[in-house]
Amino acid sequence: TEMMRALGYPRLISMENFHTPNFMLVSEVLLWLVKRYEPQTDIPPDVETEQDRVFFIKAVAQFMATKAHIKLNTKKLYQADGYAVKELLKITSVLYGAMNTKGVERADLSEEDSSKFKFDLGSKIADLKAARQLASEITSKGASLYDLLGKEVELREARTESIARPLEINEAEKMLKIAIDCVLEQVQKTKDMLNNVALDEANLESKIEKRKLELERSQKRLQTLQSVR
């Protein structure tokens, strides 16, 4: 109740409201919390029939699991009693904690300020996704580095043998010539590609100019038809 008041929920809530199943209040609070988490969320608020209620609870649980990684017990939420409060507390605690990390003091918020207070966890979710991606990349790089270090003994022997081998000038010149030929071939390919790009650019400019002329003729014809009408 204190967290909901601090978050700006417009109604007063007490545990008395949940001594008996109160699905309308639970659904209202759930929808309000989801909207506070992501205002653009489109979850149908219809809870008139049993099928609508089941669909609503499933939609909210799926949204919170996907967007906030909060696992909700749908059965307890559907009970809409004191057990449902524990599930609601999972979402409320996250939002309340996020509000406090932004330096907003609950005691300094009046009811009007609370109703106007809005925050967006989108940036925090983006940071979380980026951190997870970086952690995955670090793990992958670490495994690759471990494999490479495992081959160091074998590679050290081959490297030492290559260094100790006397350098043959003729062989070195031959390898350098091959490398130079490869570089020149790559340079020629790059030049050919640039020439092709220039040719394509000229063709495109010609087509654009042709389309402009056609457009001008069409506009003149349209003006003539409009004047005739």
Side-chain angles (χ1 to χ4, degrees):
T1 57
E2 295 298 325
M3 288 183 183
M4 291 296 291
R5 184 181 298 111
L7 290 173
Y9 188 67
R11 292 175 51 184
L12 294 177
I13 302 177
S14 67
M15 288 304 298
E16 299 292 335
N17 299 126
F18 300 98
H19 280 176
T20 58
N22 191 346
F23 193 89
M24 297 303 294
L25 180 58
V26 170
S27 63
E28 179 182 331
V29 171
L30 275 175
L31 188 60
W32 188 86
L33 290 173
V34 169
K35 292 291 186 182
R36 294 290 281 180
Y37 192 89
E38 188 170 318
Q40 304 301 325
T41 304
D42 185 17
I43 294 180
D46 300 329
V47 290
E48 295 297 329
T49 65
E50 179 181 349
Q51 185 177 3
D52 291 338
R53 294 183 177 187
V54 171
F55 179 81
F56 175 81
I57 293 295
K58 286 184 177 180
V60 171
Q62 183 177 3
F63 171 83
M64 296 309 301
T66 303
K67 298 293 185 180
H69 303 286
I70 298 175
K71 185 178 180 180
L72 300 175
N73 189 314
T74 54
K75 182 178 179 181
K76 291 182 179 179
L77 284 175
Y78 191 83
Q79 290 178 214
D81 53 11
Y83 290 100
V85 175
K86 295 182 179 180
E87 302 303 310
L88 294 173
L89 190 60
K90 295 178 181 179
I91 309 174
T92 309
S93 299
V94 173
L95 295 176
Y96 184 75
M99 183 183 71
N100 286 338
T101 57
K102 286 178 173 290
V104 179
E105 296 293 338
R106 181 183 60 189
D108 295 338
L109 290 176
S110 62
E111 292 185 1
E112 181 180 359
D113 293 334
S114 298
S115 64
K116 294 180 180 180
F117 178 76
K118 294 182 180 180
F119 56 92
D120 184 12
L121 295 181
S123 59
K124 291 185 177 293
I125 294 175
D127 293 341
L128 179 60
K129 290 181 178 179
R132 288 181 175 176
Q133 183 177 358
L134 288 175
S136 177
E137 291 179 2
I138 290 173
T139 303
S140 177
K141 297 294 184 182
S144 178
L145 180 60
Y146 178 81
D147 293 338
L148 292 175
L149 289 175
K151 299 177 182 179
E152 172 59 19
V153 177
E154 179 183 352
L155 294 175
R156 186 188 301 122
E157 295 178 359
R159 185 169 60 249
T160 303
E161 182 181 352
S162 298
I163 293 173
R165 185 184 306 165
L167 182 62
E168 297 181 4
I169 301 299
N170 294 334
E171 186 69 19
E173 289 180 353
K174 181 180 178 181
M175 297 304 296
L176 285 174
K177 184 177 180 182
I178 293 174
I180 291 172
D181 291 339
C182 290
V183 172
L184 291 176
E185 183 179 354
Q186 291 295 329
V187 171
Q188 187 60 41
K189 287 182 179 180
T190 304
K191 288 182 178 179
D192 293 340
M193 291 175 62
L194 290 174
N195 292 333
N196 292 334
V197 169
L199 181 61
D200 293 340
E201 184 178 359
N203 291 334
L204 287 174
E205 288 180 354
S206 177
K207 290 181 180 180
I208 291 173
E209 189 65 28
K210 183 178 179 181
R211 294 296 182 184
K212 286 182 178 179
L213 294 175
E214 292 178 357
L215 178 61
E216 290 178 0
R217 287 197 296 266
S218 299
Q219 288 177 342
K220 290 180 180 179
R221 185 179 304 170
L222 176 62
Q223 292 175 358
T224 302
L225 292 174
Q226 289 176 343
S227 62
V228 170
R229 288 184 180 179

